[in-house]
Amino acid sequence: MTVKSSSSGGQTVIEKIFSSRGGRPVYAGDMIVARVDLVMATDGSGPLMLEYFRKMNGKSVFDPQKIIMVLDHYVPCPNDKVSGLQDSMRSFVSAGLGVLVDMGEGICHQILPEGGYIHPGELIVGGDSHSTAYGALNAAGIGVGSSDLASAAISGALWFKVPRTIRVEFRGRLGKGVFPKDLALYTVREIGGSGAAYKAVEFGGDGVAGLQMTGRFTICNLMAETGAKCAIMPADSLTMDYLDGDYSDRCVTPDPDARYEKTIEIDLASVEPMISLPHRADNAVPVKEAAGVPVQMGLIGTCTNGRLEDFKEALDAMGDGRVRPGFQLLVVPASRKIYAEMAG
């Protein structure tokens, strides 16, 4: 049976990526079986993936070097049951079916870009909703369930419904004391907690050039809080510097006549320091509106803001101040490499 495309004309970035991985032009709403470039599972999704792998009579994978098993959700291991589940992932890799990132090496969404696993124009499926982070490198990172992970690992492909796209235009530059995390929270509020459910968020505008790569990762990562299927930044010289190579031939740009569900324009100069109030990320307000609220614990780090630049910004904000007695501050570098850089 031949399935015809439901549209024609200009394409968004995600429509182009799916077209290249599916072998035919596709548009929002089309169904397609697309080739995947990478499969990532964590110890939160990997053990169930292996159960499905066995139920599907899986004997091999499409490429062992493209199956990344990351132990990062249960570190340190809380009990013997979880230890057994983690060992099942180690056994899978020992059988020559994947690459292991053992506990203590870092968080999946930092490890994959840091380790050179992600490149522009690629389609990555991950067993974690914040796989949207890979869009900082002009790739499509899509979170999927464990059964889909198993299917993709075996066949190297997966079926998708091509999502509609929300275009977000950043204009200008962020003001002093305002950081990409503030912009990310502001954008989540503008889109809404489920405003991008099963949709792609495509970023553009002159304001992107003023965002360092760490900030682009933060913004793409947090788009998971809008329900986004994926979130994709344009590629530029900063992207190539991060990748330490010229991948300009793989970069994907939208057509001038691409069709979007809607376009949101954000003047970066108007963004203030932001904070999300309980109990949703899209319940974001300027920090000044929460002034005076007592806080007992703080966390700096993890996959959204656990990079060296984040810790430097926190230290600059604290100045010569010390952590107040009775206040618990947790600091979690996103990878062993970043921890070493901090210690150095």
Side-chain angles (χ1 to χ4, degrees), residues 193-260:
S194 59
Y198 213 102
K199 298 170 189 173
V201 178
E202 179 185 295
F203 295 100
D206 63 88
V208 172
L211 300 173
Q212 298 301 308
M213 287 307 304
T214 54
R216 298 180 194 185
F217 278 112
T218 293
I219 293 167
C220 287
N221 183 299
L222 214 62
M223 288 307 103
E225 307 306 324
T226 69
K229 190 77 170 173
C230 59
I232 307 175
M233 289 278 180
D236 57 15
S237 60
L238 290 178
T239 316
M240 299 305 117
D241 288 344
Y242 182 92
L243 293 168
D244 195 25
D246 184 6
Y247 294 88
S248 54
D249 59 329
R250 302 192 194 182
C251 297
V252 186
T253 58
D255 291 324
D257 57 343
R259 297 180 182 180
Y260 299 101

Side-chain angles (χ1 to χ4, degrees), residues 177-179 182-183 186 268-275 285-288:
V178 182
F179 300 100
D182 300 307
L183 177 56
Y186 186 96
L268 301 192
S270 68
V271 178
E272 301 180 56
M274 302 290 290
I275 187 171
V285 300
V287 169
K288 63 187 179 184

Side-chain angles (χ1 to χ4, degrees), residues 166-172 183 186-187 191 201-208 211 234 254-256 260 262-268 271:
I166 296 173
R167 174 81 174 182
V168 178
E169 294 272 345
F170 291 149
R171 301 296 181 190
L183 177 56
Y186 186 96
T187 305
I191 296 175
V201 178
E202 179 185 295
F203 295 100
D206 63 88
V208 172
L211 300 173
D255 291 324
Y260 299 101
K262 64 178 178 180
T263 299
I264 299 172
E265 294 193 5
I266 297 177
D267 175 11
L268 301 192
V271 178

Side-chain angles (χ1 to χ4, degrees), residues 34 42 51 56 61 114 141 153 165 171 205 207 255 293 298 314-315:
T42 72
E51 284 191 32
M56 294 176 184
V61 296
E114 186 182 276
T165 298
R171 301 296 181 190
D255 291 324
V293 176
L315 283 173

